[in-house]
Amino acid sequence: MSDALINGLAGAGGGIIAQLITYPLQTVNTRQQTERDLKKEKRKLGTIEQMCQVVKQEGWERLYGGLTPSIVGTTASQGLYYYFYQIFRNKAEIKALERQKKGIGDGSVGMLSSLIVAALSGCVNVLLTNPIWVVVTRMQTHTNILKKDHSNRLATPALEETVLSAIEPFSFSTGHAIQEVYDEAGFWGFWKGVFPTLIMVSNPAMQFMLYETMLKKLKKERSLSNPDNNGVTALEIFLLGALAKLGATVVTYPLNVVKARLQAKQVATGDRRHQYKGTIDAILKMIRYEGFYGFYKGMSTKIVQSVLAAAVLFMIKEELVKGARLLLVKDGIHTVKSKLP
């Protein structure tokens, strides 16, 4: 099994676990980003309060709306990202060693090369998986509204308004979300928000650059103090992953909001101030009608969700890689021993 495949599978596994743990926060954050009602009472709702509101008005299942396609997307995204990241990283390491032989550099991959490797991996990932995330965004932002019961035509208007239907609210499935996107914008609707998402490749690129830099520095310092031990613990990887994600999220968050706005449902008969023709149009309208505050809606929720998810992902991914390599080494030893006379 190649190192790239090991990292790809480990990244997918870590991503799924991180997604399951933090998904309710992700759902609330997407709703905060796409909220276009500027009423003050809406702004005062905190993350926990909004989660409770969703549960009370729509049920627990709405916190996990779009979970199935999200897991598919996470598996594909993390698997593809780590797979191509490792392939590009291996090539960068080979080139670094070639430069070292020519007397240039110390043979290690520098910060700029790490940034380019992460950016290339992210671009491939975005172009292949954007349709999945458009569907996930639609399912996260869809709200179940109970219909009024109009069966009793003799009821007074006041009484009629207070009676809710006993029928279950409309179930918005993955198929409904796909059909909605296609009816609204056709085939290319599944690539809505791809431009800001491609720019947001800088987020994981910065994240991995910071992570690799801090990890390399920690290992180097540890090897200087104790040459026999330059390894890092799962807790240290957790903290490094959290710090790297925090820095990247703060810088790129406005683009995340623009992407969510473009991927959410566009109501043709609604307020034109909230209808976006593209990335530039969305940015200009948000500045004009909401101010710069609009670009940072739900940022505190996103920081908690993304930092926690990234930290869990890094920790689990590294442990899975270690475990896989250990199993391969043991399997190799057993194979050699079985061949011995």
Side-chain angles (χ1 to χ4, degrees), residues 87-161:
I87 287 176
F88 295 143
R89 179 86 183 177
N90 291 341
K91 291 183 178 180
E93 289 173 352
I94 291 171
K95 288 185 177 181
L97 290 172
E98 288 175 353
R99 287 196 300 270
Q100 185 185 30
K101 291 178 181 178
K102 296 177 182 178
I104 305 172
D106 60 356
S108 62
V109 179
M111 288 181 63
L112 180 59
S113 296
S114 294
L115 187 64
I116 293 172
V117 165
L120 287 173
S121 307
C123 287
V124 174
N125 173 36
V126 166
L127 292 172
L128 293 176
T129 63
N130 195 76
I132 300 173
W133 298 116
V134 172
V135 172
V136 171
T137 299
R138 291 299 177 100
M139 295 184 74
Q140 287 177 332
T141 55
H142 177 78
T143 55
N144 285 338
I145 302 174
L146 291 172
K147 296 180 180 179
K148 296 174 186 177
D149 187 0
H150 299 286
S151 59
N152 187 356
R153 300 295 179 185
L154 299 177
T156 63
L159 178 61
E160 185 177 347
E161 288 182 1

Side-chain angles (χ1 to χ4, degrees), residues 21 31 42 75 80 93 95 99 115 118 138 152 167 184 214 218 224-225 234 251 260:
I21 293 172
R31 291 190 176 205
K42 292 266 185 180
T75 304
L80 287 169
E93 289 173 352
K95 288 185 177 181
R99 287 196 300 270
L115 187 64
R138 291 299 177 100
N152 187 356
I167 302 173
E184 184 181 299
M214 290 187 291
L218 180 61
L224 290 174
S225 60
V251 175

Side-chain angles (χ1 to χ4, degrees), residues 173-195:
S173 66
T174 304
H176 291 121
I178 293 172
Q179 188 64 50
E180 181 182 90
V181 174
Y182 185 79
D183 290 342
E184 184 181 299
F187 177 76
W188 294 111
F190 294 98
W191 272 269
K192 276 191 173 184
V194 73
F195 182 68

Side-chain angles (χ1 to χ4, degrees), residues 28-41:
V28 169
N29 179 240
T30 303
R31 291 190 176 205
Q32 290 172 339
Q33 290 174 340
T34 56
E35 177 57 61
R36 300 165 199 183
D37 187 346
L38 299 180
K39 292 180 181 179
K40 291 183 179 179
E41 60 267 23

Side-chain angles (χ1 to χ4, degrees), residues 216-229:
K216 182 180 176 181
K217 186 176 181 180
L218 180 61
K219 286 183 176 180
K220 186 176 180 180
E221 290 179 353
R222 188 151 294 171
S223 63
L224 290 174
S225 60
N226 185 2
D228 296 328
N229 179 27

